[in-house]
Amino acid sequence: MKRPLNDPVYALPLFGRARVVFQGEELRVSRKGLALLYYLALEGPTSRARLADLLYGHGSALQNLRVELHRLSRALGREVFPKGQDPLSLPSWLKLETLGHGEVLEGLEEVEGLWEWVQEVRTRSEAFPGLPCRQELLRELSSLHPPFLLVLRVRLGAGQRQLAQELARVLGLAFHQSLRPEGLVYLEFPYPQVPLRELLRSKAFLVLSLDPGEEPRFFLELRANYPPERMRVLELSPLPWYEARQGLLAGYGFQQAARAYFLAGGQPEWIPEWLASAGCPQRLLAQLRLQARWLSEPARVALERLSVALGPIPEQALDALGALPYLEELERKGWLVYGEGYRFAKEAERRLFSYTLPPGRRRELHERAATALALAGRNQEEALHRKALGEGYPGLLDPRLRQALFGEGRVWERRGLGRELALLVQGGQGVFPLGQGFGLALLEPTDKAHLDFASLEEEAVLELVGEAYAPQDSWGLLLALRGAWGEGYIQLEGAFAHRMLLPPGPFRLRFSGLGVAEFSLRAYRPRSDEGTSRSGKAPVDVWVLAAKKAQEIPEQGEKKGKNQGRSDGNVHP
């Protein structure tokens, strides 16, 4: 039987009094029935046993739940849940309406046993007030007009529904979550079962949400038949740090904002959850487990084991953690990606999976991986597992990383700061202007960012002042400062102020690792006076990155790259 394009939708308004609205009229539904519908709409599929305990909490709870389900079908005039369905999930024709005004879930706090849950939902809604996101992308899409098919490739927490709602507002179209002949129609899995010709004839602006992994038949048929000039496939990237800072994270201190942004992987729906939670948000963990249910059981378990490994995972560790037989399935379904080795598609998802491991199990997996990497001579990768185990690891690191983490081999002088010198940025990637300085966010272990500067005409003290956030289970956020004389390394953490003596010539700031930072850059002519009478400023500690005289710089340039990061801190030959 064909499903008509104007299949009716029953709305559950999130704001204001809890109710079911159908074609502009409120239906008479019991408060327990409303609580059940709203819980499924906000928390996803839930077992009958859990719902019965939540709503009734006594020996006859399951029987009472069956009665309530029957009442719901009578009140709504159609079967809401198929007989025997467990866990219960909200049907596609019942939708949560997230636009509106008033108190969230008004009245449901009076349902016995639901007070804490209602308060939690209100806290989440207050933390995420529905501020428009992705304004640059919306401006880019505002030139499109129906009929059109926009496919959004997304990961968990990407905020694709809110983007579709904002796009409908920008285009002046009515927003729908089921097929309609006109307006903006947002569709997500499970997709409607309708003949393809009806979709091709639609005059609506269709927005299709596509999960990672294997492409469903619904999408493939649309892509094969939809006119190319009326279709666009777009990967929804994380929200840029500067945009999150101006919107969702406005008013928060740097460390709190950066922590929430990093742990959320820049995903706008996840950021408020991490803001409101001191530990791991259970709702996000439930979302991740729900999506992982499409994996075979052995592959899902292997994925959880792999969550102790940060970044590209050497083959020896893949073998030690029992993942080799399942790599093809994990890559095909979008959980792992390959590039210089297999790694998690998203670092934020890896961290969530790691929370599922009991402490003893996590330690055992770190030990297993560390032993395999030690036997293979993979010292750098082994060191991270030794660090997680609380064991000694500095001797396993290469000199560059030891210099960044422990300051090994640095040469210091005290210098006064003279007049300020101009710095001219020539190019860069991943670093963006932010107020009077710069900002960057490295969310994945393979991310890189850099800033290139024009040649300094004379020796200068470069002052780097700012604040950084980095997770404790990584090497943090690392800075390599590179010139013709060689390269030096620093770890950026907390509130920092670094001063480095640079010889004449061009230089580059290269960032790697994981974390978020905001910083300012200034350059000064150095002075050798020891007091304040001549310079007007007290002398400061300066890291000497190139101790040779200016006339030796051309020779150093010819030998660029040799002996970088020697343990004595003299990074040039």
Side-chain angles (χ1 to χ4, degrees), residues 401-423:
L401 195 51
R402 286 204 303 272
Q403 186 183 76
L405 299 180
F406 308 111
E408 190 174 283
R410 293 181 186 172
V411 177
W412 297 91
E413 289 184 4
R414 290 186 67 79
R415 293 290 187 100
L417 302 182
R419 69 175 177 86
E420 187 171 352
L421 303 175
L423 285 174

Side-chain angles (χ1 to χ4, degrees), residues 177-353:
Q177 295 190 76
S178 62
L179 287 171
R180 293 287 192 277
E182 295 179 345
L184 186 143
V185 174
Y186 171 76
L187 302 174
E188 59 185 19
F189 185 83
Y191 304 114
Q193 301 298 313
V194 296
L196 181 63
R197 61 180 178 271
E198 291 190 24
L199 289 171
L200 297 176
R201 288 200 308 263
S202 173
K203 300 300 181 184
F205 192 113
L206 300 176
V207 179
L208 181 69
S209 175
L210 195 64
D211 291 337
E214 296 174 291
E215 297 172 335
R217 181 175 177 177
F218 182 81
F219 163 71
L220 294 175
E221 287 183 343
L222 274 176
R223 187 167 201 172
N225 294 278
Y226 219 86
E229 66 275 10
R230 292 199 288 122
M231 179 180 181
R232 181 175 175 184
V233 179
L234 179 68
E235 184 169 346
L236 213 50
S237 302
L239 190 68
W241 165 248
Y242 61 85
E243 188 173 340
R245 201 78 169 104
Q246 295 167 0
L248 290 172
L249 296 170
Y252 291 93
F254 174 83
Q255 289 294 331
Q256 185 181 8
R259 172 190 175 273
Y261 178 82
F262 177 83
L263 295 177
Q267 301 290 42
E269 286 186 6
W270 282 13
I271 291 173
E273 300 278 352
W274 282 106
L275 279 173
S277 174
C280 175
Q282 293 302 304
R283 183 167 179 263
L284 304 191
L285 197 54
Q287 289 179 1
L288 197 69
R289 284 172 161 168
L290 194 62
Q291 187 156 323
R293 75 192 188 282
W294 300 109
L295 291 170
S296 66
E297 181 68 12
R300 183 189 60 76
V301 173
L303 191 65
E304 291 178 357
R305 289 197 296 261
L306 287 177
S307 67
V308 299
L310 174 65
I313 310 171
E315 184 175 353
Q316 297 85 354
L318 291 170
D319 186 22
L321 296 173
L324 288 178
Y326 313 106
L327 295 179
E328 188 273 336
E329 180 183 354
L330 293 173
E331 183 180 15
R332 176 166 44 86
K333 295 191 175 180
W335 292 102
L336 298 182
V337 293
Y338 187 84
E340 300 180 2
Y342 282 100
R343 63 176 176 84
F344 273 76
K346 289 295 176 182
E347 168 65 9
E349 295 175 4
R350 182 197 71 82
R351 289 177 176 276
L352 278 177
F353 272 119

Side-chain angles (χ1 to χ4, degrees), residues 440-463:
L440 66 95
L442 303 182
L443 301 178
E444 306 297 333
T446 54
D447 286 351
K448 298 284 191 298
H450 70 270
L451 273 178
D452 295 328
F453 291 86
S455 290
L456 293 169
E457 296 182 356
E458 57 184 307
E459 191 178 51
V461 173
L462 180 70
E463 183 179 68

